[in-house]
Amino acid sequence: MVAPDPVDARLLAMLAEMGRAAVHELAARLGMDPREAATRLITLSGSGLPLLVGVECDPNGIRKALANSVAWGSYTGPVQSGPVPGGPVQAGPGHAVRGTPSGAYPPAPGTVRGTPSGSYRQGPPSGPFPAQPHPVPTAQEPLNTWGPPQSSSWARGDHAPAPKARTGKIGSTLETEGLEGARFTIQLVEVVDPADFLFTAAGYKLADGERAVVVHTELANTGTVTFNALPDMYLVLMTGTGETVGKAPVSLSSRPPHKIGVQPGETAGGHTVYVLPENTVVTSVRWSSRPETDLNTLVWTVDD
């Protein structure tokens, strides 16, 4: 077997750490394009490594999507089998799934802002389906901010509604929309700062002059479209100097991470870990559906 290049080595190291994960989640932790990660994993799987790249779905959801494809009128081919970026990846047998809830959370020192909520409810993951023309909205189904794609209102800004309030404090629940028409609310439940004890208890080490922060958020899908992304993919900390701190590629067994996919009517929670300089002042937490900010970006102020 040919030795893997540095990118493959990072993929394998993270996969060995997690044991089992969806490709989207694995790619997000490494800051990679999920399609590139999937291609590399499939190649590595065929090289003789004890690595299985698979795919799973919600059977009822897939059957419903296939039934609706006749009405959409643009999907006529067969369903292709084989690995896709949203499928699970498992490195050999006997590996535990990291981040599985393990009962009550142990207390941790440091400032805990907010009140932890109860159980987590996670619906079955559902991968993206081929893009289809949007149906004409009815009176009960309001238009998206910029109108249906491919329509004249999509490119026009004169009919765009005024931006909604997208700011709050720890404990606030804010409403927003996703890139695929999903409607949901996100609550910033708590911010544990510092969270060094949780970080080291999970087997990780902080360098001198570093500290850990853990942010707990919950996403409630209030619409009729499945939320298919990782809820905290672009959840960042804002500092007093205007810089952003992205999530660390680690997960804590005592504070389960987010999983990909939230079905309509369901609520899913998760924890995001950050590592930053010890003296850095965190002023706010920002959520976006994409790397850059837009009208749907949410911001929660963190009080000192």
Side-chain angles (χ1 to χ4, degrees):
M1 180 185 69
V2 180
D5 65 16
V7 178
D8 288 344
R10 289 176 58 215
L11 266 174
L12 292 174
M14 179 58 65
L15 181 56
E17 176 70 21
M18 301 174 69
R20 178 186 177 91
V23 177
H24 277 90
E25 181 178 355
L26 186 63
R29 292 179 183 275
L30 296 172
M32 295 179 60
D33 187 310
R35 292 167 295 184
E36 179 187 358
T39 301
R40 287 179 176 273
L41 288 168
I42 293 169
T43 302
L44 290 169
S45 177
S47 67
L49 289 173
L51 169 64
L52 174 64
V53 182
V55 60
E56 61 180 318
C57 71
D58 173 12
N60 292 332
I62 293 297
R63 294 189 186 99
K64 183 178 179 181
L66 288 173
N68 291 340
S69 67
V70 176
W72 289 338
S74 63
Y75 181 72
T76 57
V79 178
Q80 296 182 355
S81 61
V84 298
V89 181
Q90 183 172 357
H95 292 268
V97 179
R98 291 186 60 84
T100 301
S102 56
Y105 299 146
T111 303
V112 180
R113 305 189 181 95
T115 303
S117 65
S119 61
Y120 299 97
R121 298 176 297 281
Q122 176 66 36
S126 177
F129 198 71
Q132 307 296 338
H134 289 242
V136 178
T138 63
Q140 292 77 25
E141 188 178 6
L143 287 169
N144 290 331
T145 302
W146 297 102
Q150 312 304 326
S151 70
S152 60
S153 60
W154 179 260
R156 296 173 56 185
D158 54 343
H159 296 298
K164 298 179 180 179
R166 307 291 195 187
T167 59
K169 296 183 177 181
I170 295 177
S172 299
T173 300
L174 305 178
E175 181 180 0
T176 188
E177 296 85 37
L179 299 178
E180 299 177 352
R183 294 179 178 272
F184 47 91
T185 62
I186 298 179
Q187 180 185 15
L188 177 60
V189 181
E190 64 177 343
V191 175
V192 183
D193 184 11
D196 299 358
F197 171 78
L198 294 173
F199 194 82
T200 55
Y204 301 108
K205 292 184 179 181
L206 290 167
D208 292 339
E210 288 184 336
R211 83 175 191 270
V213 175
V214 175
V215 175
H216 178 190
T217 51
E218 286 192 347
L219 185 146
N221 191 335
T222 59
T224 59
V225 178
T226 300
F227 181 87
N228 288 314
L230 192 63
D232 64 345
M233 179 171 292
Y234 300 114
L235 185 72
V236 300
L237 302 181
M238 301 294 295
T239 70
T241 58
E243 299 176 333
T244 60
V245 179
K247 57 189 291 188
V250 299
S251 59
L252 311 180
S253 58
S254 63
R255 297 295 193 273
H258 278 284
K259 301 299 182 182
I260 296 176
V262 182
Q263 297 293 328
E266 293 200 347
T267 300
H271 298 78
T272 310
V273 183
Y274 302 87
V275 176
L276 60 158
E278 190 173 29
N279 297 325
T280 300
V281 177
V282 177
T283 59
S284 60
V285 178
R286 188 184 76 193
W287 180 93
S288 295
S289 58
R290 60 182 74 194
E292 66 277 5
T293 60
D294 55 22
L295 291 176
N296 294 325
T297 297
L298 306 177
V299 178
W300 294 268
T301 301
V302 176
D303 297 327
D304 294 332

